[in-house]
Amino acid sequence: LQTMNGSEDDWLALKPQEPSPSQCCGSGCKPCIYDVYEKELAQWERSRAKQDKSLLMEKKEQSNNSELNPDTFTPFSISSVEQLTEDTYQYKFELPGNGSLRLSLGQHIVLRGMVNGLEVQRAYTPISPGNAEGYFEVLIKCYEAGLMSQYIKTWKKGDIVFWRGPFGGFPYRPNKHGELLMLASGTGLAPMLPILQSITENEEDETFVTLVGCFCTFDKIYLKPLLRDLARYWNIRIFYILSQETSLEKLPWSYQENTYIGRLNEDLMKTIINSCRRRPFVLICGSSAFSEDMSRYVKAVGIDENSYFVF
């Protein structure tokens, strides 16, 4: 059947491809890449039924303006790359015309990468304040075998990278909770930082914060200068838990009194919660195993379902 709009083969070539599981970041984005696919597929089916390819032209693969958008990927240029530890990097992206991402606290954005012809998507939480103008920053840990990590390791200043979002977030309101207990493992620190910065920048916000950062070793603690500055505020205290250090003696003395060696277990959780000035609302971010363990421990020490949030 040859029509003005081409053969059956032409139509099949235009059919949207179903995403592979590697393309879904698994963070519950709205819309998910599968939602976008369903929408494009329905559009393709309508066009094909009417044999009118012009109906497909609405399809935008990526937007050209520099506005972040949940449905389409937007290009951003890398303005700097800083290595923080052997496997963790801080990337800074330009926002043209002093624009701002205007993220709510703890919201994440989704990165698209191409590795050996395979498209991969992962979610990351910017660590820059949501109202930062002209730039945003993301903290990324690269894994030896990670598909996305292979792509990220090639980045250099001036490269163009595609993001969409924002998604998720924690609906934080100043003074809503007497005390926040933040439990972060490694790059799980990322969504905590914009919340901490919004508290310290708002003189009216008198929320107490206890941040517990879990790292393998002292050298693996990210952003030490920033954390040191935050810990100087009257309402913020920071503990470190180092799973692979052998003794506190090796650490700088300023870290010795607020650092624990070993793992964050139920007993230590009890000690920390009892030391909070008020009954805390708990925020948890880390690997899925870390999040499961922490959720179990906080429940065991009497924090109910409505009093903790997992990123």
Side-chain angles (χ1 to χ4, degrees):
L1 173 73
Q2 195 72 30
T3 67
M4 212 173 75
N5 266 305
S7 68
E8 188 61 16
D9 286 350
D10 286 353
W11 278 104
L12 289 176
L14 290 168
K15 186 175 179 178
Q17 278 193 304
E18 184 170 359
S20 66
S22 72
Q23 288 174 270
C24 176
C25 71
S27 300
C29 305
K30 296 269 180 285
C32 169
I33 185 158
Y34 284 103
D35 299 332
V36 176
Y37 163 71
E38 295 292 340
K39 198 166 103 186
E40 288 175 357
L41 186 62
Q43 194 178 348
W44 176 81
E45 283 167 350
R46 280 197 304 275
S47 310
R48 186 181 170 200
K50 293 183 176 163
Q51 289 287 308
D52 180 358
K53 284 186 189 157
S54 67
L55 295 175
L56 287 172
M57 293 310 164
E58 304 157 31
K59 180 181 167 190
K60 295 203 302 282
E61 170 55 17
Q62 50 211 31
S63 67
N64 298 324
N65 64 7
S66 57
E67 292 279 309
L68 191 65
N69 177 324
D71 297 282
T72 53
F73 282 95
T74 304
F76 293 96
S77 169
I78 298 174
S79 55
S80 75
V81 175
E82 189 185 346
Q83 185 165 0
L84 300 181
T85 67
E86 58 185 6
D87 55 6
T88 306
Y89 299 80
Q90 187 172 339
Y91 297 96
K92 192 171 190 174
F93 295 88
E94 254 171 65
L95 286 171
N98 267 352
S100 161
L101 283 188
R102 294 192 292 279
L103 297 187
S104 304
L105 293 171
Q107 281 194 309
H108 63 267
I109 54 181
V110 172
L111 168 68
R112 182 178 70 190
M114 291 298 288
V115 188
N116 311 330
L118 180 69
E119 184 180 299
V120 193
Q121 299 192 16
R122 293 282 178 276
Y124 297 97
T125 306
I127 57 171
S128 40
N131 56 359
E133 291 181 358
Y135 76 96
F136 66 94
E137 289 173 312
V138 183
L139 182 68
I140 299 181
K141 178 172 181 169
C142 288
Y143 294 91
E144 217 31 67
L147 270 180
M148 186 61 99
S149 298
Q150 291 169 33
Y151 164 63
I152 291 167
K153 280 178 189 161
T154 67
W155 287 359
K156 33 186 206 315
K157 188 178 168 177
D159 283 356
I160 300 293
V161 172
F162 289 89
W163 294 96
R164 72 181 177 102
F167 303 104
F170 168 66
Y172 177 74
R173 290 209 311 277
N175 299 312
K176 182 182 175 188
H177 307 287
E179 181 151 4
L180 288 177
L181 171 59
M182 299 177 167
L183 307 174
S185 168
T187 46
L189 198 57
M192 310 300 183
L193 292 173
I195 298 173
L196 275 164
Q197 287 166 320
S198 83
I199 291 171
T200 56
E201 283 165 14
N202 178 357
E203 287 181 7
E204 309 288 301
D205 193 344
E206 300 191 342
T207 307
F208 287 113
V209 182
T210 299
L211 168 65
V212 181
C214 300
F215 298 90
C216 300
T217 60
F218 180 74
D219 291 339
K220 293 260 174 85
I221 300 174
Y222 317 121
L223 308 169
K224 289 190 186 84
L226 172 63
L227 293 171
R228 242 195 331 268
D229 288 346
L230 288 168
R232 291 195 178 111
Y233 284 86
W234 64 275
N235 51 340
I236 294 188
R237 55 183 193 156
I238 301 181
F239 293 117
Y240 298 99
I241 297 181
L242 306 177
S243 57
Q244 291 170 17
E245 288 288 354
T246 46
S247 91
L248 289 173
E249 268 79 82
K250 294 181 191 159
L251 306 186
W253 66 266
S254 60
Y255 282 86
Q256 290 179 15
E257 63 178 339
N258 57 348
T259 301
Y260 297 90
I261 302 289
R263 291 198 170 276
L264 179 45
N265 56 25
E266 198 180 309
D267 286 343
L268 187 47
M269 182 78 81
K270 198 172 273 169
T271 304
I272 290 170
I273 286 179
N274 288 340
S275 76
C276 290
R277 288 145 285 202
R278 304 175 186 167
R279 196 78 179 144
F281 185 94
V282 185
L283 299 178
I284 298 170
C285 190
S287 66
S288 50
F290 176 83
S291 299
E292 279 170 31
D293 288 346
M294 295 309 117
S295 306
R296 210 170 54 244
Y297 300 156
V298 298
K299 278 191 216 154
V301 299
I303 302 281
D304 67 35
E305 291 274 347
N306 307 323
S307 297
Y308 69 91
F309 178 89
V310 180
F311 284 99

